[in-house]
Amino acid sequence: MSAGLDRAYARAERVTAEWAKSFYFASRWLPREKKSAIFALYDYCRHADNLVDARGDRPVAEVRAELAELAEEVRAIHGGAPARGERWLALADTLRRYPIPLAPLLDLLEGVAMDLEPVEIQDFGTLHRYCFLVAGGVGLMLGPILGAAPDSFRESGVRLGIAMQLTNVLRDVAEDLDRGRVYLPAEELARWGLSRADLEARQMTPALRRFMQYQVTRARRYFDSGSRVVPLFPTDGSRLCVRLLQQTYAGILDAIERMDYDVFRARAYVSTPRKLLILGRACLAERAWPTLHPSARSA
């Protein structure tokens, strides 16, 4: 491995450790080559997301141009062209080593671009489309790395990704309001006698609590159907990684329930002790305790 490629993979790992703690936790028991590859993919996803979320006062047109330039780079390296500069060396190497489809890489860019305009989702179909673009397709990227055949895992893998994004939406209601974004469907809010103004009041009323309970129940249904993807992966740590991702994210829904659905009071998260409990249960399900890669022991 060249020094530049080594630096690119190291940077991708740092980005993952900083921004995606649950993802990083779940990846720790993967073989090094798989782990490095998913870090490279996460780095790409995070970079695309940050172009939008961290744009500050930059004009929308400028960010769209950057997303278009990134799409052009991805198309090129996916087609076998060398990366232009060191920034995407790890991604190019990953795309060379694994049969990752191009479509979800580009779908992600379309999805994050939706956040460049004020977000007010009208119905669940629109929310589902957004979740598919920014998260459902991530499963289609990770599947070839972790070792499942695309024709066998596509449907359940996508549903697991959508479940995780629905969980993000419920966890981040207050944070998204701060950014002028409402992902909870207006049509469904109205069905419960609610509106955006009720969310902006940030008071957990009985009607809003019932609404949130419904949303959590639906996210759990997506997790349940998405769980069918778990047995499709090999037992080299890949199956355990997916199981941990599934159960850790589902644990955020547990945390929302423990907060009595009041997502304005605090940000729901899975504590380290609970993650370790999830790990223990996942290992029992796998009937084996995984070997932690030496490079991860000090992380």
Side-chain angles (χ1 to χ4, degrees):
M1 184 181 294
S2 70
L5 182 56
D6 189 56
R7 286 193 298 269
Y9 273 118
R11 185 196 59 250
E13 179 167 0
R14 289 194 301 272
V15 168
T16 308
E18 177 183 358
W19 288 89
K21 291 179 172 54
S22 294
F23 193 67
Y24 190 67
F25 174 76
S27 72
R28 284 180 157 215
W29 292 273
L30 288 171
R32 166 52 68 181
E33 61 275 9
K34 288 187 175 184
K35 181 162 40 178
S36 296
I38 65 170
F39 291 160
L41 279 179
Y42 180 81
D43 181 38
Y44 166 73
C45 295
R46 173 48 52 191
H47 178 78
D49 200 40
N50 282 352
L51 284 176
V52 175
D53 283 351
R55 72 181 178 93
D57 296 328
R58 291 191 302 139
V60 168
E62 182 180 321
V63 179
R64 289 193 186 280
E66 290 180 338
L67 289 171
E69 183 179 347
L70 181 56
E72 180 184 348
E73 175 78 359
V74 168
R75 286 191 185 94
I77 61 178
H78 191 276
R84 293 180 293 183
E86 190 173 295
R87 180 64 185 85
W88 298 116
L89 282 179
L91 180 64
D93 185 61
T94 294
L95 295 180
R96 179 183 59 79
R97 291 189 293 122
Y98 296 97
I100 298 165
L102 176 61
L105 293 161
L106 299 178
D107 284 346
L108 175 80
L109 302 182
E110 179 184 345
V112 299
M114 292 172 66
D115 289 336
L116 285 169
E117 305 296 340
V119 175
E120 190 156 5
I121 300 292
Q122 291 304 309
D123 52 39
F124 182 69
T126 305
L127 177 59
H128 187 279
R129 172 66 177 166
Y130 173 78
C131 291
F132 171 79
L133 291 173
V134 301
V138 174
L140 303 181
M141 300 181 208
L142 296 180
I145 295 173
L146 296 179
D151 57 347
S152 65
F153 83 91
R154 179 180 175 86
E155 182 178 354
S156 52
V158 165
R159 287 183 72 84
L160 180 56
I162 290 173
M164 294 168 69
Q165 188 61 28
L166 289 174
T167 300
N168 286 340
V169 166
L170 299 178
R171 179 194 62 193
D172 297 339
V173 172
E175 180 181 324
D176 289 332
L177 280 171
D178 292 340
R179 294 175 170 174
R181 301 172 183 172
V182 177
Y183 294 97
L184 297 171
E187 182 181 277
E188 294 182 355
L189 283 165
R191 201 182 308 159
W192 265 264
L194 300 165
S195 67
R196 178 172 183 151
D198 293 289
L199 298 177
E200 290 174 341
R202 302 177 191 242
Q203 297 295 319
M204 187 51 60
T205 63
L208 187 51
R209 184 171 284 107
R210 289 192 296 271
F211 172 80
M212 291 296 294
Q213 185 175 22
Y214 170 80
Q215 300 294 327
V216 167
T217 299
R218 178 166 59 197
R220 287 199 186 282
R221 288 200 302 270
Y222 273 85
F223 273 117
D224 288 344
S225 57
S227 67
R228 298 170 191 160
V229 78
V230 175
L232 303 179
F233 293 97
T235 57
D236 61 351
S238 299
R239 185 182 302 174
L240 178 62
C241 176
V242 177
R243 193 186 296 277
L244 285 174
L245 278 173
Q246 173 209 13
Q247 295 183 4
T248 302
Y249 258 82
I252 296 173
L253 298 180
D254 295 338
I256 291 173
E257 289 176 334
R258 286 194 298 273
M259 295 162 54
D260 202 17
Y261 304 98
D262 191 352
V263 292
F264 303 109
R265 187 177 73 202
R267 194 173 194 262
Y269 72 100
V270 179
S271 66
T272 298
R274 288 188 181 276
K275 284 182 181 178
L276 293 175
L277 179 61
I278 290 169
L279 172 62
R281 290 172 176 169
C283 289
L284 285 175
E286 294 296 314
R287 292 184 173 85
W289 190 261
T291 300
L292 182 61
H293 190 280
S295 64
R297 287 176 186 152
S298 60

